[in-house]
Amino acid sequence: QVQLVESGGGLVQAGGSLRLSCLASGRTFSTYGMGWFRQAAGKEREFVAHISWSSGYTRYADSVKGRFTISRDNAKNTVYLQMSSLKPEDTAVYYCAAGRQVTISTMRGYDYWGRGTQVTVSS
């Protein structure tokens, strides 16, 4: 069982930066691939970024490529999402998720989800 708690969300002006963190419980964190997703009001949840258990592989949605960076520290049971050059359309609740057999760029295979953290980007 893995429990995930996101933090670091908030209100930021367009062009600004935020770093989200996701702290995982349990001793098996390092065996899970981790993903970040987001859900804007009235829209479906969408894939943002994925990182493999070893950090050897990352993948990003086209909409955030070059602006967001996913990373992880297995010693701290934490995955991060560094967000830069933020745009109003990045406004959403951001969720982290863990899974061992995921289908990249989808929600398929992610077994555990956090409750999310709100990111609001003002214009």
Side-chain angles (χ1 to χ4, degrees):
Q1 192 80 1
V2 176
Q3 291 184 325
L4 304 172
V5 179
E6 303 94 338
S7 61
L11 174 64
V12 63
Q13 287 189 332
S17 299
L18 277 176
R19 188 177 81 155
L20 305 183
S21 300
C22 174
L23 177 63
S25 66
R27 291 179 287 181
T28 60
F29 170 75
S30 63
T31 66
Y32 285 86
M34 299 296 297
W36 283 98
F37 293 78
R38 66 187 182 186
Q39 187 166 17
K43 296 188 176 181
E44 293 186 352
R45 194 171 298 188
E46 64 176 7
F47 168 78
V48 174
H50 172 86
I51 188 167
S52 64
W53 66 272
S54 66
S55 302
Y57 176 82
T58 57
R59 178 85 170 262
Y60 297 91
D62 288 343
S63 59
V64 307
K65 205 172 292 183
R67 300 188 298 121
F68 290 11
T69 301
I70 189 170
S71 62
R72 67 189 296 164
D73 185 337
N74 287 341
K76 295 183 178 179
N77 275 19
T78 303
V79 62
Y80 304 98
L81 186 69
Q82 178 67 49
M83 306 186 295
S84 303
S85 302
L86 283 161
K87 306 174 182 180
E89 51 263 44
D90 294 318
T91 295
V93 177
Y94 283 71
Y95 299 89
C96 70
R100 287 198 172 118
Q101 294 185 344
V102 305
T103 302
I104 304 292
S105 303
T106 77
M107 292 190 287
R108 213 170 296 154
Y110 288 95
D111 301 312
Y112 304 102
W113 291 80
R115 293 188 175 183
T117 185
Q118 176 71 47
V119 172
T120 302
V121 184
S122 63
S123 57

Short mmCIF file of all heavy atoms in Angstrom, two decimals, residues 60-97:
data_model
loop_
_atom_site.label_atom_id
_atom_site.label_comp_id
_atom_site.label_asym_id
_atom_site.label_seq_id
_atom_site.Cartn_x
_atom_site.Cartn_y
_atom_site.Cartn_z
N TYR A 60 6.70 13.61 -21.10
CA TYR A 60 5.90 14.80 -20.81
C TYR A 60 4.78 14.97 -21.82
O TYR A 60 4.91 14.59 -23.00
CB TYR A 60 6.79 16.06 -20.85
CG TYR A 60 7.88 16.07 -19.82
CD1 TYR A 60 9.14 15.56 -20.11
CD2 TYR A 60 7.65 16.58 -18.55
CE1 TYR A 60 10.14 15.55 -19.15
CE2 TYR A 60 8.65 16.59 -17.58
CZ TYR A 60 9.88 16.08 -17.90
OH TYR A 60 10.87 16.09 -16.94
N ALA A 61 3.71 15.58 -21.36
CA ALA A 61 2.68 16.00 -22.30
C ALA A 61 3.24 17.13 -23.16
O ALA A 61 4.07 17.93 -22.70
CB ALA A 61 1.44 16.49 -21.53
N ASP A 62 2.79 17.20 -24.40
CA ASP A 62 3.29 18.24 -25.30
C ASP A 62 3.05 19.63 -24.73
O ASP A 62 3.85 20.55 -24.95
CB ASP A 62 2.61 18.11 -26.66
CG ASP A 62 3.10 16.90 -27.44
OD1 ASP A 62 4.17 16.35 -27.09
OD2 ASP A 62 2.42 16.50 -28.39
N SER A 63 1.97 19.79 -24.01
CA SER A 63 1.59 21.11 -23.51
C SER A 63 2.54 21.64 -22.43
O SER A 63 2.55 22.85 -22.17
CB SER A 63 0.17 21.08 -22.95
OG SER A 63 0.07 20.13 -21.91
N VAL A 64 3.34 20.76 -21.83
CA VAL A 64 4.24 21.21 -20.76
C VAL A 64 5.71 20.97 -21.09
O VAL A 64 6.59 21.38 -20.33
CB VAL A 64 3.90 20.52 -19.42
CG1 VAL A 64 2.43 20.70 -19.07
CG2 VAL A 64 4.28 19.04 -19.42
N LYS A 65 5.98 20.33 -22.22
CA LYS A 65 7.34 20.00 -22.58
C LYS A 65 8.18 21.28 -22.67
O LYS A 65 7.77 22.26 -23.29
CB LYS A 65 7.33 19.26 -23.91
CG LYS A 65 8.51 18.35 -24.14
CD LYS A 65 8.31 17.52 -25.41
CE LYS A 65 7.20 16.51 -25.24
NZ LYS A 65 7.01 15.65 -26.43
N GLY A 66 9.36 21.23 -22.05
CA GLY A 66 10.24 22.39 -22.07
C GLY A 66 9.97 23.38 -20.94
O GLY A 66 10.77 24.28 -20.70
N ARG A 67 8.85 23.22 -20.25
CA ARG A 67 8.52 24.12 -19.15
C ARG A 67 8.48 23.40 -17.80
O ARG A 67 8.79 24.01 -16.77
CB ARG A 67 7.14 24.77 -19.39
CG ARG A 67 7.06 25.59 -20.66
CD ARG A 67 5.75 26.37 -20.74
NE ARG A 67 4.58 25.49 -20.77
CZ ARG A 67 3.60 25.51 -19.87
NH1 ARG A 67 3.64 26.37 -18.86
NH2 ARG A 67 2.57 24.69 -19.98
N PHE A 68 8.10 22.13 -17.81
CA PHE A 68 7.99 21.35 -16.58
C PHE A 68 9.08 20.30 -16.55
O PHE A 68 9.48 19.76 -17.59
CB PHE A 68 6.64 20.64 -16.50
CG PHE A 68 5.44 21.54 -16.29
CD1 PHE A 68 5.54 22.93 -16.38
CD2 PHE A 68 4.21 20.99 -16.00
CE1 PHE A 68 4.44 23.74 -16.19
CE2 PHE A 68 3.10 21.79 -15.79
CZ PHE A 68 3.21 23.17 -15.90
N THR A 69 9.54 19.97 -15.34
CA THR A 69 10.54 18.92 -15.16
C THR A 69 10.12 18.03 -14.00
O THR A 69 9.87 18.52 -12.89
CB THR A 69 11.92 19.51 -14.87
OG1 THR A 69 12.31 20.37 -15.95
CG2 THR A 69 12.95 18.40 -14.71
N ILE A 70 10.05 16.74 -14.27
CA ILE A 70 9.73 15.78 -13.23
C ILE A 70 11.03 15.14 -12.74
O ILE A 70 11.94 14.88 -13.53
CB ILE A 70 8.75 14.70 -13.73
CG1 ILE A 70 8.25 13.82 -12.58
CG2 ILE A 70 9.35 13.87 -14.86
CD1 ILE A 70 7.10 12.89 -12.98
N SER A 71 11.11 14.92 -11.43
CA SER A 71 12.28 14.28 -10.85
C SER A 71 11.84 13.54 -9.60
O SER A 71 10.71 13.71 -9.13
CB SER A 71 13.37 15.31 -10.52
OG SER A 71 12.90 16.24 -9.56
N ARG A 72 12.75 12.72 -9.07
CA ARG A 72 12.42 11.98 -7.87
C ARG A 72 13.65 11.77 -7.02
O ARG A 72 14.78 11.73 -7.54
CB ARG A 72 11.75 10.64 -8.21
CG ARG A 72 12.65 9.65 -8.90
CD ARG A 72 11.85 8.44 -9.40
NE ARG A 72 11.28 7.68 -8.30
CZ ARG A 72 10.30 6.78 -8.46
NH1 ARG A 72 9.81 6.53 -9.66
NH2 ARG A 72 9.84 6.10 -7.42
N ASP A 73 13.41 11.61 -5.74
CA ASP A 73 14.48 11.30 -4.79
C ASP A 73 14.00 10.08 -4.01
O ASP A 73 13.18 10.21 -3.09
CB ASP A 73 14.74 12.49 -3.86
CG ASP A 73 15.91 12.27 -2.94
OD1 ASP A 73 16.27 11.10 -2.68
OD2 ASP A 73 16.47 13.25 -2.45
N ASN A 74 14.47 8.92 -4.39
CA ASN A 74 13.99 7.69 -3.76
C ASN A 74 14.39 7.61 -2.29
O ASN A 74 13.70 6.96 -1.49
CB ASN A 74 14.48 6.47 -4.52
CG ASN A 74 13.75 6.30 -5.84
OD1 ASN A 74 12.67 6.85 -6.06
ND2 ASN A 74 14.35 5.54 -6.74
N ALA A 75 15.48 8.24 -1.92
CA ALA A 75 15.88 8.24 -0.51
C ALA A 75 14.92 9.03 0.35
O ALA A 75 14.80 8.77 1.56
CB ALA A 75 17.29 8.82 -0.38
N LYS A 76 14.22 9.98 -0.27
CA LYS A 76 13.25 10.81 0.46
C LYS A 76 11.81 10.42 0.15
O LYS A 76 10.88 11.10 0.59
CB LYS A 76 13.46 12.29 0.12
CG LYS A 76 14.81 12.83 0.59
CD LYS A 76 14.93 14.32 0.29
CE LYS A 76 16.25 14.87 0.81
NZ LYS A 76 16.40 16.32 0.51
N ASN A 77 11.63 9.38 -0.64
CA ASN A 77 10.27 8.94 -1.02
C ASN A 77 9.46 10.08 -1.62
O ASN A 77 8.26 10.23 -1.35
CB ASN A 77 9.52 8.38 0.21
CG ASN A 77 9.81 6.91 0.46
OD1 ASN A 77 10.82 6.39 -0.03
ND2 ASN A 77 8.97 6.26 1.22
N THR A 78 10.10 10.88 -2.45
CA THR A 78 9.45 12.08 -2.96
C THR A 78 9.64 12.21 -4.46
O THR A 78 10.74 11.95 -4.97
CB THR A 78 9.99 13.34 -2.25
OG1 THR A 78 9.79 13.21 -0.84
CG2 THR A 78 9.26 14.58 -2.73
N VAL A 79 8.60 12.64 -5.13
CA VAL A 79 8.68 12.99 -6.54
C VAL A 79 8.30 14.47 -6.66
O VAL A 79 7.47 14.96 -5.91
CB VAL A 79 7.76 12.09 -7.41
CG1 VAL A 79 6.30 12.24 -7.03
CG2 VAL A 79 7.97 12.37 -8.88
N TYR A 80 8.96 15.14 -7.59
CA TYR A 80 8.78 16.58 -7.75
C TYR A 80 8.29 16.91 -9.15
O TYR A 80 8.52 16.18 -10.10
CB TYR A 80 10.12 17.30 -7.52
CG TYR A 80 10.76 17.01 -6.20
CD1 TYR A 80 11.77 16.05 -6.10
CD2 TYR A 80 10.38 17.68 -5.05
CE1 TYR A 80 12.37 15.77 -4.88
CE2 TYR A 80 10.98 17.41 -3.82
CZ TYR A 80 11.97 16.45 -3.76
OH TYR A 80 12.56 16.18 -2.54
N LEU A 81 7.64 18.05 -9.23
CA LEU A 81 7.30 18.62 -10.53
C LEU A 81 7.67 20.09 -10.49
O LEU A 81 7.00 20.89 -9.83
CB LEU A 81 5.82 18.45 -10.86
CG LEU A 81 5.43 18.90 -12.27
CD1 LEU A 81 6.03 17.94 -13.30
CD2 LEU A 81 3.91 18.94 -12.43
N GLN A 82 8.76 20.43 -11.15
CA GLN A 82 9.18 21.82 -11.25
C GLN A 82 8.47 22.44 -12.44
O GLN A 82 8.62 21.95 -13.57
CB GLN A 82 10.70 21.91 -11.44
CG GLN A 82 11.22 23.32 -11.62
CD GLN A 82 11.06 24.15 -10.37
OE1 GLN A 82 11.42 23.72 -9.28
NE2 GLN A 82 10.52 25.37 -10.51
N MET A 83 7.71 23.49 -12.19
CA MET A 83 6.92 24.13 -13.24
C MET A 83 7.43 25.55 -13.44
O MET A 83 7.49 26.33 -12.48
CB MET A 83 5.44 24.14 -12.84
CG MET A 83 4.90 22.77 -12.48
SD MET A 83 3.13 22.76 -12.17
CE MET A 83 3.05 23.76 -10.71
N SER A 84 7.76 25.87 -14.66
CA SER A 84 8.26 27.21 -14.99
C SER A 84 7.45 27.77 -16.14
O SER A 84 6.73 27.05 -16.83
CB SER A 84 9.74 27.12 -15.37
OG SER A 84 10.50 26.55 -14.34
N SER A 85 7.60 29.08 -16.35
CA SER A 85 6.87 29.76 -17.44
C SER A 85 5.39 29.40 -17.41
O SER A 85 4.80 29.06 -18.43
CB SER A 85 7.48 29.39 -18.80
OG SER A 85 8.84 29.73 -18.85
N LEU A 86 4.83 29.47 -16.23
CA LEU A 86 3.44 29.04 -16.06
C LEU A 86 2.48 29.94 -16.83
O LEU A 86 2.69 31.15 -16.97
CB LEU A 86 3.08 29.01 -14.58
CG LEU A 86 3.63 27.80 -13.83
CD1 LEU A 86 3.65 28.03 -12.33
CD2 LEU A 86 2.81 26.56 -14.16
N LYS A 87 1.42 29.31 -17.31
CA LYS A 87 0.39 29.98 -18.10
C LYS A 87 -0.96 29.83 -17.39
O LYS A 87 -1.16 28.86 -16.65
CB LYS A 87 0.30 29.36 -19.49
CG LYS A 87 1.60 29.32 -20.25
CD LYS A 87 1.44 28.57 -21.55
CE LYS A 87 2.75 28.47 -22.31
NZ LYS A 87 2.59 27.72 -23.59
N PRO A 88 -1.89 30.72 -17.65
CA PRO A 88 -3.22 30.57 -17.03
C PRO A 88 -3.85 29.21 -17.33
O PRO A 88 -4.58 28.67 -16.48
CB PRO A 88 -4.01 31.72 -17.66
CG PRO A 88 -2.99 32.77 -17.93
CD PRO A 88 -1.77 32.01 -18.35
N GLU A 89 -3.56 28.66 -18.49
CA GLU A 89 -4.14 27.36 -18.84
C GLU A 89 -3.52 26.20 -18.06
O GLU A 89 -3.98 25.06 -18.18
CB GLU A 89 -4.03 27.09 -20.35
CG GLU A 89 -2.66 27.29 -20.93
CD GLU A 89 -2.49 28.67 -21.57
OE1 GLU A 89 -2.93 29.67 -20.95
OE2 GLU A 89 -1.90 28.72 -22.68
N ASP A 90 -2.50 26.46 -17.27
CA ASP A 90 -1.95 25.44 -16.37
C ASP A 90 -2.74 25.34 -15.08
O ASP A 90 -2.48 24.46 -14.26
CB ASP A 90 -0.49 25.75 -16.04
CG ASP A 90 0.43 25.66 -17.25
OD1 ASP A 90 0.27 24.71 -18.04
OD2 ASP A 90 1.32 26.53 -17.39
N THR A 91 -3.68 26.24 -14.88
CA THR A 91 -4.51 26.22 -13.68
C THR A 91 -5.30 24.92 -13.59
O THR A 91 -6.00 24.55 -14.53
CB THR A 91 -5.48 27.41 -13.68
OG1 THR A 91 -4.74 28.63 -13.60
CG2 THR A 91 -6.44 27.33 -12.50
N ALA A 92 -5.13 24.21 -12.48
CA ALA A 92 -5.77 22.91 -12.30
C ALA A 92 -5.43 22.38 -10.92
O ALA A 92 -4.57 22.92 -10.22
CB ALA A 92 -5.28 21.92 -13.36
N VAL A 93 -6.09 21.30 -10.55
CA VAL A 93 -5.66 20.49 -9.41
C VAL A 93 -4.67 19.48 -9.95
O VAL A 93 -4.96 18.78 -10.93
CB VAL A 93 -6.85 19.80 -8.73
CG1 VAL A 93 -6.36 18.92 -7.58
CG2 VAL A 93 -7.86 20.83 -8.23
N TYR A 94 -3.51 19.41 -9.31
CA TYR A 94 -2.45 18.51 -9.74
C TYR A 94 -2.39 17.31 -8.80
O TYR A 94 -2.36 17.46 -7.58
CB TYR A 94 -1.11 19.24 -9.77
CG TYR A 94 -0.96 20.14 -10.96
CD1 TYR A 94 -1.71 21.32 -11.06
CD2 TYR A 94 -0.12 19.81 -12.02
CE1 TYR A 94 -1.60 22.14 -12.18
CE2 TYR A 94 0.00 20.63 -13.13
CZ TYR A 94 -0.75 21.79 -13.20
OH TYR A 94 -0.64 22.60 -14.31
N TYR A 95 -2.35 16.13 -9.42
CA TYR A 95 -2.33 14.87 -8.68
C TYR A 95 -1.06 14.10 -9.00
O TYR A 95 -0.62 14.07 -10.15
CB TYR A 95 -3.51 14.00 -9.08
CG TYR A 95 -4.87 14.60 -8.82
CD1 TYR A 95 -5.49 15.39 -9.78
CD2 TYR A 95 -5.54 14.35 -7.63
CE1 TYR A 95 -6.74 15.95 -9.56
CE2 TYR A 95 -6.79 14.89 -7.40
CZ TYR A 95 -7.38 15.68 -8.36
OH TYR A 95 -8.62 16.22 -8.14
N CYS A 96 -0.51 13.43 -8.00
CA CYS A 96 0.54 12.47 -8.30
C CYS A 96 -0.04 11.07 -8.16
O CYS A 96 -1.05 10.85 -7.47
CB CYS A 96 1.77 12.65 -7.41
SG CYS A 96 1.54 12.22 -5.69
N ALA A 97 0.58 10.14 -8.85
CA ALA A 97 0.09 8.77 -8.89
C ALA A 97 1.26 7.81 -9.00
O ALA A 97 2.33 8.17 -9.53
CB ALA A 97 -0.87 8.58 -10.07
#
